[in-house]
Amino acid sequence: MKAIRRFTVRTVLPEPLKPLEELVLNLRWSWHHETLDLFRAVDPALWRAVHQDPVRLLGEVAPERLARLAEDRRFLRRLQDTAEDLREYLTAPRWYQSHSDGDAPACIAYFSPEYGITAALPQYSGGLGILAGDHLKTASDLGVPILGVGLLYRHGYFSQSLSPDGWQLERYPPIDPNGLPLTLLRERDGTPVRVSIGLPKGNALHAQVWIARVGRVPQLLLDSDVEDNDQSARDVTDRLYGGGGDHRLLQEMLLGIGGVRAIRAYCRITGHAEPEVFHTNEGHAGFLGLERIRELVSEDSLTFDEALEATRAGTVFTTHTPVPAGIDRFPRDLISRYFGGANEEEQVPVDRVLALGTEDYPGGDRTVFNMAVMGMRLAQRVNGVSELHGEVSREMFGGLWGGFDTAEVPIGSITNGVHAGTWVAREALELASRELPSLMESGRGWEGVRNVSEPEIWRMRGLLRRRLVLDARRRLRESWRQRGASEAEISWIDDALDPDVLTIGFARRVPSYKRLTLMMCDEDRLRSILLDPDRPVQIVIAGKAHPADEGGKRLIQDIVRFTGNEDIRHRIVFLPDYDMALGQLMVQGCDVWMNNPLRPLEACGTSGMKAALNGALNLSIRDGWWDEWYDGQNGWAIPSADGLATPDRRDELEAAALYELVEEHVSVTFYDRDSAGLPRRWLEMVKHTIATLGPKVLASRMLRDYVEGLYAPAAASERSMVADKFAGARELAAWKRRVRTAWPRVAVEHVESNGEESPQVGARLTVRVVVDLGGLDPEDVAVEVAYGRVDDADALVGPSYLELDEGVPADNGRRKYTGEVPLGRSGAFGYSVRVVPSHPRLSGRAEMGLVALPPAPHGMTNGDLR
């Protein structure tokens, strides 16, 4: 008989063992090896059986074993030391406390639909969640006062298995929050906190709030599975990225609107500082801006526009995808149904909501509501997650700032990083602590890696490769048994993979642009690479396709079919159920990390960073982070044929380049050994990779960039808006309204210059402009000249800008402006002028998307400058 409900009965620990619960309920254990050692000592066999899940460990350990541990003085001393170490970690000043000044925000709210903290808390699907988890862990390590917000999915993402013919099967095991390292947020009288959001027809969606402790960082997870809801509402947080239409919209409303309300409740109950900055991690949480506007209108008597300015000032929006299909877009009538009619908030009119998400720019679809577009309109600071992704995002969303060149679109970039404590093998950390104590203590001295003993590095790499091989065999055995194979049919797995063979890893989600099967373009050539008698190669592959992605599932089936061939199945394997635990084994155990997306569709891609920190070399298309940090000595770049061929031909060309690199460079370098059996050139590349990439790929560098480049400026902007009862927000909103009204009448009426007949390098060109300000004041605008090199179509290439000086008034309210353009280079040269809004509280010239240009290219010169 199947149980109709599942729940977890928690163990009552003997009094001397009470600190164990304190350790279990703080997820710092997921990256703290000494705490994991302590859990292992509770019951080593059970620890392995529960897959290193400490909550399950305490739930299943025998009472007799606990009684013995309660009298084991050595274990109790160790327990006390570990608990005291955690308390010190939670309270001692860290980087943020010693490096921040009064301008740093007291709290940053970080919203994400998924978080990859540990495999024991399966609330993630891929890179976005893993990045969010690393963000919180690093904030804890650095002492950055972040407050995480997300949803608690009762079935997580999904567990993956394979059918006998290699088709992906999904299973959604139920998750009991009481069996996770979570506590329920309660009012001071002990009743569970409830947050609610309004629904059509006067209904409401209710949620309780669970708290995870990620080191020093509280993480609030909203859960709609409460008795106050009917069954459909209880199912809103059933699974990550499940369903569509209403279901997905309700998840995002709960995350954004409910998330803000959960923060308010948490801060009220605990006394935690209220957030000054709100960081929206992708568009899924974009509705948080609407809730903050509603608060300001209803509680502080601001108008919608005034509240919008106050909200934008303290909001950071990070876009994570260069793929339009990866952005949530809803039918406008669906948004109208949930935000209009009887459900319409007086403070947040539905027409204003719809306007925020409208794609009202050339090429946009006005029938949809775009969550990323809304997120950008509600944030004063927007960034991509690598330099290349920043460029792609400026192209992709440039229509929001029409009239400005792509380079001026106000979307910056902060390249992602990874949390070393989570992803770097313990053996690598121990080697570093022995050989490079200053690196482990202060994060400095990466160049010292070049002096580390090469035999030691090679020994460590061999150990990690062997661990991967042994675990891969175990996983293969389980998978083949699930697919119905008999013991006789899987005896070959005992010899699958070889701990001494060059091992390439490939693991990620399986959308088509990541090209899981590119390596199979020429199956015969791949086979010859795998079976080379002198320089064999083995490949370990893992990945999940979205349950609704039939194309992705076919790719997995194709790779599974190929890996099942008897002549090569010991050299290439597909491991199902890719999760954090398998990801850790792979980035630690592989010699080479392979990545071959369609450039430039990989926003960043952090798995190669993790592999590099463990001493692997990257073999990748120059996309994402690899495009900016590949230097010719830290791995190999697969040549890309983007824009040069049809899709099939492009795959053929790039696959051929991949084969050639593996055959002629990667395997040759790996197997070129000296008399001591060491691949000296390979190890030189490993050392160079760690020394040069180490300080760049760490999430500590990434988070410092966020603090200094985005969080601190956002906090300063927010404070300037709210001071003196929101005087700044009120003044800026009124100014913007006046400027937008007058802007159609602003015009550049005349441009002239002198000294352009036969100019020479070093000369200066005087430019004079007459502008009709359309009733605006001179201080409302900046009149600029853009100048520099021009191409064959007279377009300025990477122009410089000079603000012209205001001169005397001309007739009929016009103004004259003048300035001198430096002619600092020879060759084709040109200039143009423009008028843009100017206000000290604007984040930049392009913020309002308004620009006035000359009606024709007046006064331009295009000639050789000598």
Side-chain angles (χ1 to χ4, degrees):
M1 181 182 295
K2 190 173 183 179
I4 62 171
R5 189 180 175 199
R6 174 195 178 99
F7 57 92
T8 301
V9 180
R10 295 205 178 196
T11 300
V12 178
L13 294 170
E15 191 61 33
L17 300 182
K18 288 294 185 183
L20 272 176
E21 188 165 284
E22 177 185 353
L23 293 171
V24 167
L25 287 176
N26 193 301
L27 290 164
R28 186 212 186 193
W29 57 257
S30 67
W31 73 93
H32 190 251
H33 293 291
E34 289 75 11
T35 306
L36 292 171
D37 288 344
L38 180 75
F39 292 151
R40 184 179 297 106
V42 170
D43 188 326
L46 182 58
W47 180 245
R48 289 192 297 273
V50 298
H51 303 293
Q52 302 186 9
D53 180 341
V55 178
R56 287 185 59 193
L57 174 76
L58 295 188
E60 298 182 24
V61 65
E64 298 79 15
R65 175 60 180 165
L66 290 176
R68 287 196 299 273
L69 289 173
E71 297 178 356
D72 185 333
R73 286 181 295 176
R74 180 177 297 178
F75 180 85
L76 293 177
R77 282 197 303 272
R78 189 175 172 190
L79 171 60
Q80 193 60 39
D81 289 345
T82 307
E84 288 178 2
D85 180 77
L86 174 62
R87 293 169 197 144
E88 181 181 3
Y89 171 85
L90 297 177
T91 57
R94 307 192 76 79
W95 171 83
Y96 192 82
Q97 287 68 40
S98 59
H99 287 78
S100 62
D101 52 28
D103 292 335
C107 177
I108 303 107
Y110 182 89
F111 283 66
S112 178
E114 55 173 302
Y115 290 91
I117 308 292
T118 168
L121 190 61
Q123 302 289 305
Y124 60 92
S125 71
L128 177 67
I130 298 301
L131 184 278
D134 282 9
H135 201 100
L136 296 196
K137 294 175 191 175
T138 306
S140 175
D141 290 343
L142 296 182
V144 180
I146 279 180
L147 178 59
V149 182
L151 300 179
L152 181 72
Y153 304 98
R154 289 300 183 108
H155 295 275
Y157 191 43
F158 68 89
S159 293
Q160 177 197 48
S161 59
L162 299 173
S163 70
D165 64 352
W167 190 255
Q168 173 180 290
L169 304 175
E170 298 93 24
R171 184 173 59 89
Y172 292 87
I175 295 172
D176 176 19
N178 292 294
L180 298 173
L182 305 172
T183 56
L184 200 59
L185 178 62
R186 297 180 181 274
E187 299 286 356
R188 291 189 177 93
D189 63 4
T191 59
V193 166
R194 290 284 192 273
V195 297
S196 302
I197 62 173
L199 299 179
K201 300 180 181 179
N203 296 323
L205 172 65
H206 307 277
Q208 58 191 355
V209 184
W210 296 91
I211 306 172
R213 299 285 175 184
V214 186
R216 300 164 70 110
V217 173
Q219 181 189 23
L220 309 181
L221 300 173
L222 283 78
D223 170 20
S224 70
D225 190 12
V226 296
E227 293 180 358
D228 301 345
N229 291 326
D230 61 24
Q231 190 58 50
S232 63
R234 296 182 76 150
D235 288 342
V236 166
T237 55
D238 58 349
R239 58 185 64 173
L240 176 59
Y241 301 143
D246 294 64
H247 187 272
R248 187 70 166 265
L249 178 61
L250 284 169
Q251 284 190 342
E252 300 190 0
M253 289 174 65
L254 183 60
L255 174 60
I257 299 170
V260 173
R261 295 176 183 178
I263 286 175
R264 303 308 185 205
Y266 178 80
C267 293
R268 171 178 54 81
I269 293 166
T270 65
H272 192 282
E274 291 278 358
E276 293 183 277
V277 174
F278 286 75
H279 186 169
T280 309
N281 195 32
E282 243 330 327
H284 311 285
F287 291 125
L288 73 87
L290 296 182
E291 171 62 10
R292 293 178 62 214
I293 289 172
R294 185 201 63 78
E295 290 179 331
L296 292 171
V297 174
S298 61
E299 298 170 15
D300 295 284
S301 301
L302 273 64
T303 67
F304 185 96
D305 288 331
E306 292 165 350
L308 175 60
E309 296 305 328
T311 297
R312 290 185 71 254
T315 302
V316 173
F317 180 88
T318 299
T319 175
H320 287 264
T321 177
V323 184
I327 295 170
D328 281 339
R329 300 159 91 208
F330 295 105
R332 286 171 62 86
D333 61 353
L334 185 64
I335 300 297
S336 296
R337 179 149 52 90
Y338 278 91
F339 288 90
N343 201 45
E344 184 170 6
E345 296 270 5
E346 181 182 353
Q347 304 91 343
V348 188
V350 67
D351 61 316
R352 300 302 303 269
V353 175
L354 290 169
L356 287 169
T358 299
E359 297 181 2
D360 53 355
Y361 45 79
D365 183 350
R366 293 173 179 266
T367 69
V368 301
F369 183 91
N370 186 310
M371 292 295 291
V373 166
M374 177 182 69
M376 292 182 185
R377 285 179 170 145
L378 287 170
Q380 196 174 64
R381 288 163 179 83
V382 181
N383 70 286
V385 290
S386 69
E387 287 184 3
L388 180 59
H389 181 228
E391 295 175 17
V392 173
S393 298
R394 288 188 286 276
E395 288 274 0
M396 188 171 170
F397 296 104
L400 291 174
W401 294 272
F404 287 86
D405 290 342
T406 300
E408 290 187 274
V409 170
I411 300 177
S413 65
I414 291 180
T415 303
N416 284 341
V418 299
H419 184 251
T422 298
W423 300 105
V424 177
R426 186 172 188 172
E427 291 78 6
L429 294 174
E430 290 173 347
L431 177 60
S433 65
R434 290 196 307 270
E435 302 269 351
L436 302 163
S438 64
L439 177 60
M440 299 301 290
E441 292 168 6
S442 66
R444 297 186 177 90
W446 285 93
E447 280 298 314
V449 170
R450 300 184 192 275
N451 301 321
V452 175
S453 161
E454 291 183 350
E456 276 294 292
I457 294 177
W458 191 237
R459 181 195 64 79
M460 177 198 74
R461 292 296 315 146
L463 190 154
L464 297 179
R465 193 185 312 112
R466 176 173 293 275
R467 179 184 299 157
L468 171 61
V469 165
L470 295 177
D471 193 77
R473 290 173 180 170
R474 178 187 65 80
R475 290 171 182 269
L476 272 178
R477 222 173 261 113
E478 290 180 4
S479 177
W480 279 75
R481 284 172 180 156
Q482 287 177 348
R483 296 169 64 188
S486 66
E487 290 300 316
E489 290 175 297
I490 60 175
S491 60
W492 62 272
I493 294 177
D494 293 338
D495 299 314
L497 306 179
D498 185 327
D500 296 320
V501 165
L502 169 63
T503 304
I504 297 176
F506 185 99
R508 49 196 33 87
R509 292 184 302 110
V510 191
S512 59
Y513 76 88
K514 291 181 182 282
R515 296 192 296 184
L516 172 69
T517 55
L518 182 71
M519 66 184 82
M520 290 169 47
C521 273
D522 185 338
E523 293 186 5
D524 291 337
R525 192 166 179 186
L526 176 57
R527 181 176 272 103
S528 69
I529 291 172
L530 297 170
L531 302 177
D532 188 294
D534 301 315
R535 297 192 292 269
V537 173
Q538 59 194 15
I539 305 177
V540 181
I541 306 165
K544 289 180 175 179
H546 187 280
D549 183 4
E550 297 293 307
K553 292 182 181 181
R554 279 192 293 273
L555 294 177
I556 289 175
Q557 187 175 43
D558 289 343
I559 206 84
V560 170
R561 172 191 57 77
F562 183 75
T563 62
N565 286 314
E566 291 187 12
D567 60 330
I568 56 169
R569 62 188 182 185
H570 64 297
R571 285 279 184 260
I572 182 168
V573 298
F574 179 87
L575 304 179
D577 211 17
Y578 180 41
D579 64 359
M580 285 186 70
L582 177 54
Q584 287 168 326
L585 280 164
M586 291 185 65
V587 298
Q588 293 169 10
C590 290
D591 301 296
V592 173
W593 198 258
M594 186 167 69
N595 189 28
N596 47 236
L598 283 167
R599 187 182 190 275
L601 301 183
E602 184 82 272
C604 184
T606 59
S607 55
M609 297 178 176
K610 300 162 190 168
L613 285 174
N614 283 286
L617 301 177
N618 275 268
L619 172 64
S620 177
I621 293 283
R622 290 194 64 168
D623 202 1
W625 74 275
W626 189 237
D627 182 69
E628 64 194 87
W629 288 337
Y630 167 69
D631 67 6
Q633 300 298 318
N634 53 8
W636 296 271
I638 304 169
S640 177
D642 50 314
L644 302 177
T646 62
D648 289 345
R649 180 58 178 157
R650 177 177 176 177
D651 285 353
E652 291 175 11
L653 291 171
E654 294 182 7
L658 170 62
Y659 299 141
E660 192 271 337
L661 281 170
V662 174
E663 292 169 330
E664 303 299 329
H665 300 274
V666 180
S667 62
V668 170
T669 308
F670 182 85
Y671 287 108
D672 182 16
R673 311 290 170 87
D674 65 5
S675 58
L678 296 175
R680 295 288 180 180
R681 173 58 186 148
W682 184 275
L683 291 170
E684 285 177 12
M685 293 179 69
V686 168
K687 288 182 176 183
H688 174 79
T689 293
I690 298 173
T692 58
L693 286 181
K696 297 177 181 177
V697 302
L698 290 178
S700 54
R701 183 274 314 153
M702 172 192 74
L703 195 55
R704 284 194 293 268
D705 287 349
Y706 272 105
V707 169
E708 295 165 357
L710 294 177
Y711 293 161
S717 288
E718 195 265 351
R719 290 167 189 158
S720 76
M721 291 291 179
V722 304
D724 298 326
K725 298 182 179 180
F726 298 92
R730 297 178 196 274
E731 188 273 333
L732 182 59
W735 178 86
K736 282 190 173 182
R737 184 165 56 251
R738 181 166 59 84
V739 168
R740 286 198 177 96
T741 301
W743 201 258
R745 301 190 300 275
V746 175
V748 177
E749 296 205 338
H750 182 71
V751 180
E752 65 181 29
S753 59
N754 61 12
E756 62 188 52
E757 290 79 13
S758 56
Q760 295 181 332
V761 172
R764 304 182 77 82
L765 187 72
T766 300
V767 177
R768 290 178 291 275
V769 183
V770 177
V771 177
D772 183 346
L773 296 182
L776 295 177
D777 297 326
E779 57 268 26
D780 293 331
V781 303
V783 179
E784 299 175 330
V785 58
Y787 62 93
R789 184 169 65 87
V790 293
D791 62 18
D792 291 340
D794 284 348
L796 288 163
V797 179
S800 299
Y801 294 89
L802 173 70
E803 185 170 348
L804 301 179
D805 296 324
E806 181 191 351
V808 298
D811 297 334
N812 301 320
R814 290 162 175 76
R815 292 273 175 168
K816 293 181 178 179
Y817 293 81
T818 61
E820 292 188 337
V821 174
L823 305 180
R825 62 177 302 278
S826 60
F829 187 91
Y831 76 88
S832 186
V833 297
R834 69 182 185 183
V835 185
V836 293
S838 178
H839 191 282
R841 286 195 171 94
L842 293 181
S843 60
R845 297 288 201 233
E847 178 175 320
M848 296 180 67
L850 299 177
V851 59
L853 300 170
H858 295 293
M860 299 210 33
T861 180
N862 183 1
D864 289 331
L865 303 183
R866 298 177 176 85

